[in-house]
Amino acid sequence: MSEVNAYLPGQRDRARYMRLDVARVLKRFHFCERALIIAQAGWIAGIAPLEIKITLPRHLWEDALTAGELRNRVFELRYPSRLLEPGDDSPVIALFDEAIQAPGALAFVLALARVYKPVLLEAYRAYLDIADVIADGPTVRFLRAAVEDKEHQLHDLAGFATELLKAASADEQATAYDWVTALQQSFDRVGSLGIEGPHDAGEPLTAPLHQPFQFAEVPARDPRFSLCRFYWPNVIDPNFAYGEGILLQLRSAVSHVNEVWAIETGGAILNAFANVLDWEFTLDAARWTYDEARHTLMGYERLTGWGFTPDEIPLGTYIFDSARGEPAIIRMGMLHYFETKNIGKKTDRAEAFASYHDDVSQHDMEFDWADETIHAHYGAKWLKVLQQKFPDLPDSDAIHERCDALVNALIETATDEDRRQIYAIAEKMIAKAQRTLEAVS
Ligand SMILES: [Fe+2]
Ligand SMILES: [Fe+2]
């Protein structure tokens, strides 16, 4: 009997790729996702349209869940190794690292819509086509979810790209198209994200076009809104009551929509500390940023549901502005401190809304409260980790005092024009709310 016939046959399709072959592919996917998460977080402050500011955080949170699953799976498949390095996958990971250096917001979003997310979607579909659902079932489960996420994301991004292209100048459009073309050609040269691995094709073709990333210390804001520094009179005038009844309903919804500063700050700290802290930080910061985006959307949805249009809604910048030029740990302090210091009032306000039969404000306030309890933990945890890592950093109390001082100093700069502007916006909103009330009663 020949050697070949000495054993039962084992050549089956599902055995084509071995444990370490697929581990390398999954490791590559993790690094690609990670680069895009950091890029999306960094760009949030620099992109004006509110829909994009609210939606990108959901995308990056979904991406972070996928990247986390990928990372865990690589560790399982390569046990006991906990080593996770770009290695031979550097040529393709370098192309994902280019995302953040897009020459402008339009180029950034267009590249997500036309290159990066489609490349990942195609790679995940290709992986699922060859994956052995028996041996590698856990990967199949989360990559199927990732495919669904990417399909939704691409639908969102196609709409955003169209809107941004419409609003862009011919020069901005040309820059964005050149960027996307250079990226596509670079991916063609480097090869797919598939099992065979990338080739080293030298410097990406985007190199002459990219711009070193700079965080938008002056945030881009949606011009359809009533743009201001202080988003309600009581911020700069202690005589203007937070209020009860419709005043409380409006103030609370305006506060929620004004959590845009918190979205931008969540993105800022994820971007600043992702390469300094452990992966768990990126996962927490992604969720933190997504939660703030949901809080903003809560306010926007309530206000538009009461008939307000964007031009009637104030969007302020003062807390974000207070940290301008400060180290990123101050932005983390701002997010931790100003978002959680009123946590105790949220349950009182939810009760007040219940007594007004304002179910939606109560509902949003209760869910917001649950999120804030998580955020209080995130802030305490990561400020402490940073302080342990960098003993020269101030402690949490000193950071919070500094945040208070910075915000108070900014409030001191309020001008008569700021006061006139926000009183006019608020009075118009209150008058409209009263007219709505009269119409229904
Ligand atoms: Fe919030
Ligand atoms: Fe928060």
Side-chain angles (χ1 to χ4, degrees):
M1 190 180 281
S2 74
E3 181 69 19
V4 152
N5 295 327
Y7 303 102
L8 295 174
Q11 283 69 41
R12 304 199 188 173
D13 272 357
R14 70 181 192 85
R16 205 162 61 183
Y17 300 108
M18 294 296 162
R19 174 175 63 97
L20 294 180
D21 299 330
V22 301
R24 179 178 162 196
V25 180
L26 299 179
K27 181 262 293 183
R28 185 185 313 143
F29 291 165
H30 166 82
F31 279 110
C32 296
E33 288 281 9
R34 184 177 177 279
L36 282 195
I37 294 161
I38 296 170
Q40 290 170 101
W43 267 96
I44 291 169
I47 301 176
L50 193 72
E51 286 85 352
I52 306 183
K53 237 186 240 298
I54 288 174
T55 306
L56 273 191
R58 195 193 78 236
H59 291 188
L60 72 87
W61 170 68
E62 291 166 352
D63 297 346
L65 292 180
T66 301
E69 299 267 27
L70 287 163
R71 181 176 177 272
N72 290 340
R73 188 71 181 136
V74 174
F75 291 152
E76 288 174 4
L77 294 173
R78 288 180 168 175
Y79 183 83
S81 170
R82 301 282 292 179
L83 198 67
L84 208 61
E85 283 180 338
D88 293 344
D89 294 317
S90 295
V92 75
I93 296 167
L95 291 184
F96 278 83
D97 285 334
E98 283 288 278
I100 197 166
Q101 310 212 67
L106 171 62
F108 177 71
V109 173
L110 205 61
L112 289 178
R114 307 245 171 119
V115 185
Y116 287 115
K117 302 282 174 145
V119 161
L120 284 172
L121 176 58
E122 193 189 323
Y124 294 166
R125 283 182 177 149
Y127 185 97
L128 289 171
D129 278 347
I130 60 160
D132 173 21
V133 75
I134 299 173
D136 202 14
T139 306
V140 169
R141 172 68 179 80
F142 71 74
L143 277 188
R144 277 185 187 150
V147 163
E148 206 175 299
D149 288 343
K150 292 289 183 285
E151 287 169 345
H152 285 132
Q153 292 181 10
L154 278 168
H155 179 264
D156 296 336
L157 288 164
F160 297 155
T162 305
E163 287 305 309
L164 288 175
L165 277 167
K166 253 194 257 168
S169 68
D171 274 359
E172 288 166 334
Q173 291 182 8
T175 304
Y177 283 127
D178 286 349
W179 176 251
V180 165
T181 304
L183 269 176
Q184 276 162 340
Q185 289 173 349
S186 299
F187 272 104
D188 290 344
R189 285 169 30 156
V190 162
S192 80
L193 269 74
I195 203 99
E196 65 278 9
H199 327 289
D200 192 349
E203 193 178 60
L205 299 172
T206 46
L209 307 174
H210 73 206
Q211 282 177 6
F213 174 70
Q214 268 201 315
F215 178 73
E217 295 278 347
V218 176
R221 288 295 176 86
D222 194 325
R224 293 172 307 149
F225 287 78
S226 241
L227 301 183
C228 51
R229 290 206 294 163
F230 306 100
Y231 59 78
W232 205 244
N234 76 320
V235 175
I236 46 178
D237 180 356
N239 295 319
F240 191 100
Y242 205 101
E244 293 172 356
I246 59 169
L247 271 182
L248 181 61
Q249 291 175 292
L250 288 179
R251 178 66 173 86
S252 166
V254 166
S255 291
H256 264 153
V257 80
N258 271 278
E259 290 194 26
V260 280
W261 79 267
I263 309 176
E264 293 160 344
T265 303
I269 62 170
L270 190 159
N271 178 267
F273 295 118
N275 290 323
V276 176
L277 298 171
D278 293 342
W279 164 253
E280 282 68 23
F281 169 75
T282 299
L283 211 45
D284 286 355
R287 171 64 194 271
W288 202 347
T289 309
Y290 170 52
D291 289 352
E292 304 306 359
R294 291 187 297 105
H295 301 166
T296 300
L297 188 53
M298 285 173 177
Y300 182 69
E301 199 278 337
R302 296 212 296 286
L303 288 168
T304 50
W306 289 325
F308 292 99
T309 49
D311 59 299
E312 294 171 316
I313 300 171
L315 269 193
T317 53
Y318 80 103
I319 304 181
F320 191 85
D321 292 346
S322 303
R324 187 178 302 167
E326 293 290 320
I329 194 164
I330 294 296
R331 291 208 184 270
M332 188 187 283
M334 291 280 183
L335 190 56
H336 179 229
Y337 184 48
F338 284 99
E339 272 281 297
T340 54
K341 75 175 191 172
N342 292 326
I343 202 164
K345 291 184 188 154
K346 290 184 195 288
T347 42
D348 297 343
R349 289 190 183 136
E351 280 171 24
F353 294 135
S355 74
Y356 308 160
H357 306 292
D358 176 359
D359 296 347
V360 70
S361 296
Q362 178 193 355
H363 164 97
D364 288 353
M365 197 53 82
E366 287 181 355
F367 277 89
D368 172 313
W369 173 86
D371 293 333
E372 287 315 329
T373 55
I374 305 171
H375 301 174
H377 169 69
Y378 287 162
K381 173 167 93 175
W382 293 112
L383 283 171
K384 195 169 156 202
V385 171
L386 278 169
Q387 282 142 9
Q388 283 165 349
K389 214 172 159 82
F390 305 103
D392 289 347
L393 287 176
D395 65 21
S396 297
D397 287 345
I399 288 171
H400 292 161
E401 275 169 32
R402 174 93 181 120
C403 291
D404 251 339
L406 285 167
V407 170
N408 288 336
L410 199 115
I411 289 172
E412 289 294 308
T413 68
T415 62
D416 288 345
E417 175 52 24
D418 287 317
R419 269 180 272 277
R420 189 208 58 74
Q421 185 194 14
I422 194 54
Y423 263 97
I425 295 168
E427 281 163 5
K428 211 173 141 200
M429 288 188 84
I430 294 163
K432 182 166 179 167
Q434 278 164 340
R435 284 199 303 278
T436 307
L437 210 58
E438 283 158 18
V440 295
S441 58

